[in-house]
């Protein structure tokens, strides 16, 4: 009898201990994410929630569907036009997340884990996005420094050469900082090279958001468009100095 009582006491202690641990685990979910979960509970069809719950997190066929489906709904209706939008975005900003796409992805990943009684591992999710943006932010910073240097180097009336990458439709393109580098290799047979004279230089809203207006003196490929616009010898065009184009 004593052994049974001791066993029951131990069992009760284990039950209480597990309950405390579980409660603590639930308390680790920030209130902003809890609000997001409640929003999804109310605004997403139950059958869709059940389907979402039962997908595997590594299923390569689902991210696009949810990013442009419920993900877009979250970005437009929860993160932008909701009474809690400011609190939610301030929360994400405070942990280093500044892009709405990343916010909605974290909400959905956390919700999926929550539905499956898993730890949401918020910090791990945040670290992934911070690591992704780090080289891009560094690239953008370097690009602004390069832009200001060029802006200060040249004056109105100066002649310069500009080499530009050409993509599809025989049109000049510019590359974002998605690969974290300012370099690309010029291909004379395909890419555009022009000589031009600076007719104006200016900035918009910021000392680092700087532009040149250039009158074209010659083009190595006369038929090539610039950013889908037809620009011929003798024409002027405006462009930002925060660019992958090579300006010399």
């Amino acid at each position: 009898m004593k052994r049974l009582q001791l066993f029951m006491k131990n069992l009760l202690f284990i039950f209480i201990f597990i309950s405390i641990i579980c409660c603590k685990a639930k308390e680790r979910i920030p209130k902003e994410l809890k609000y997001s979960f409640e929003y999804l509970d109310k605004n997403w069809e139950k059958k869709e929630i059940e389907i979402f719950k039962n997908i595997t997190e590594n299923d390569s066929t689902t991210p696009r569907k949810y990013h442009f489906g419920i993900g877009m709904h979250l970005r437009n209706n929860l993160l932008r036009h909701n009474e809690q939008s400011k609190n939610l975005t301030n929360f994400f900003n405070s942990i280093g997340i500044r892009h709405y796409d990343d916010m909605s992805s974290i909400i959905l990943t956390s919700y999926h884990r929550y539905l499956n009684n898993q730890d949401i591992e918020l910090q791990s999710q945040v670290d992934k996005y911070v690591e992704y943006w780090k080289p891009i932010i560094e690239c953008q910073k370097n690009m602004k420094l390069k832009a200001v240097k060029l802006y200060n180097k040249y004056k109105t009336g100066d002649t310069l050469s500009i080499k530009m990458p050409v993509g599809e439709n025989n049109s000049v393109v510019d590359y974002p900082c998605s690969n974290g580098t300012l370099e690309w290799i010029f291909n004379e047979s395909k890419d555009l090279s022009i000589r031009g004279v600076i007719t104006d230089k200016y900035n918009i809203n910021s000392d680092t958001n700087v532009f040149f207006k250039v009158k074209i003196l010659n083009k190595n490929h006369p038929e090539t468009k610039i950013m889908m616009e037809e620009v011929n010898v003798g024409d002027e065009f405006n462009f930002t100095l925060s660019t992958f184009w090579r300006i010399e």
Side-chain angles (χ1 to χ4, degrees), residues 34-146:
K34 286 184 178 179
Y35 180 84
S36 301
F37 297 168
E38 292 168 0
Y39 178 89
L40 285 166
D41 287 340
K42 293 176 183 177
N43 292 277
W44 205 5
E45 291 185 16
K46 299 302 180 185
K47 64 179 181 180
E48 290 296 330
I49 293 176
E50 190 63 24
I51 292 171
F52 178 71
K53 174 185 176 182
N54 290 307
I55 66 170
T56 62
E57 200 168 301
N58 296 322
D59 188 342
S60 61
T61 65
T62 56
R64 184 176 179 85
K65 170 186 174 183
Y66 288 110
H67 178 78
F68 291 104
I70 190 64
M72 184 178 293
H73 176 91
L74 287 173
R75 293 188 289 277
N76 291 335
N77 297 286
L78 177 63
L79 296 171
R80 288 192 175 97
H81 304 294
N82 184 278
E83 61 183 9
Q84 289 296 318
S85 292
K86 186 174 181 180
N87 289 336
L88 288 167
T89 54
N90 284 345
F91 162 71
F92 279 111
N93 290 169
S94 74
I95 59 175
I97 302 299
R98 302 189 178 278
H99 297 268
Y100 285 100
D101 284 358
D102 299 345
M103 295 177 193
S104 63
S105 293
I106 287 176
I107 289 172
L108 286 175
T109 297
S110 300
Y111 186 57
H112 182 266
R113 293 174 180 177
Y114 166 79
L115 290 173
N116 287 281
N117 297 313
Q118 298 172 347
D119 192 329
I120 65 171
E121 298 182 10
L122 178 60
Q123 190 58 54
S124 176
Q125 293 187 64
V126 170
D127 290 345
K128 180 183 72 172
Y129 289 106
V130 169
E131 193 63 26
Y132 170 81
W133 284 106
K134 189 183 297 182
I136 297 174
I137 292 171
E138 185 65 22
C139 172
Q140 291 170 339
K141 177 183 175 182
N142 291 335
M143 191 172 279
K144 287 182 179 180
L145 292 173
K146 173 190 169 188

